[in-house]
Every structure is written in structure tokens, then in C-alpha cells.
Amino acid sequence: FKVHAGPGTTMANSGQGSDTFIGGSGTAYFQDAGHGGVTFAFDAGTDGETIIQGFDASPDVPDHVVLNGFAAVTQADVTVVGGSSYLDLGGTRLVFVGVVVTVTHGTIT
């Protein structure tokens, strides 16, 4: 299924994989409780905050992050605090709870 966050608060859970969560201008809480395969997509200019729990970068069925219209993302854009990763892209903030993400050639894993 596909969930598009709006200007308010949005909460969505994925347990089956193959879902798409799209960040909005408000605050979104997205959780991948399954085995991966979820796409998290964000558009430049929406200026929202998204908290992602259960991000899975395993090579079997990885989750994916799609950043539309943003400048190139590098590891320098990621701040790690207490085992969670914070990615600030202008007015858009992504928080990966309990995961230290890596950026390689603009791809978040």
C-alpha cells in the first residue's frame, strides 16, 4: 500500500514489505515491522519531519530511501546521536531510530 503524509501528523506501519511511505510537510511516523522492502520517499520543498523505525538495510530485502529534487547527499549530512541517525536536508529532517545509516554515492543504506 501507499501512504502519503500530509501537513498534520501521520502514522503508518508496514508489516508485509513492498509498501511506499511518502513524507509530507507535517510530522510522519513510519515503521517497517516486517522483513524490509519498504520505500521511503521524500520531495524537496515539503519541509517535514519523518521518524523512521525499523529501517532495514540488509542485502536480502532492503528498504529504500528515494530523495526527489534534493542536492547530492553525503555522509557529512548524517549526524548520529545515541545510535540513531539524523539527516537534515534543508527544511526536511529524517530520523532513523536505532540505526546508523551510511551514504554511499548518494544512496542511503
Side-chain angles (χ1 to χ4, degrees):
F1 66 97
K2 183 186 283 189
V3 174
H4 194 290
T9 301
T10 303
M11 298 178 75
N13 296 301
S14 173
Q16 302 298 316
S18 300
D19 297 321
T20 300
F21 295 149
I22 303 169
S25 60
T27 301
Y29 299 92
F30 295 148
Q31 181 174 12
D32 178 4
H35 56 74
V38 175
T39 299
F40 299 95
F42 305 92
D43 295 322
T46 54
D47 296 344
E49 178 175 42
T50 300
I51 294 111
I52 300 170
Q53 191 160 5
F55 183 79
D56 187 354
S58 70
D60 296 333
V61 186
D63 289 334
H64 300 281
V65 177
V66 177
L67 301 173
N68 297 310
F70 290 95
V73 177
T74 68
Q75 192 65 40
D77 295 313
V78 178
T79 303
V80 177
V81 177
S84 295
S85 299
Y86 297 80
L87 180 59
D88 290 302
L89 304 167
T92 299
R93 176 175 243 202
L94 310 180
V95 180
F96 297 85
V97 177
V99 176
V100 176
V101 298
T102 302
V103 178
T104 306
H105 304 294
T107 300
I108 299 169
T109 57

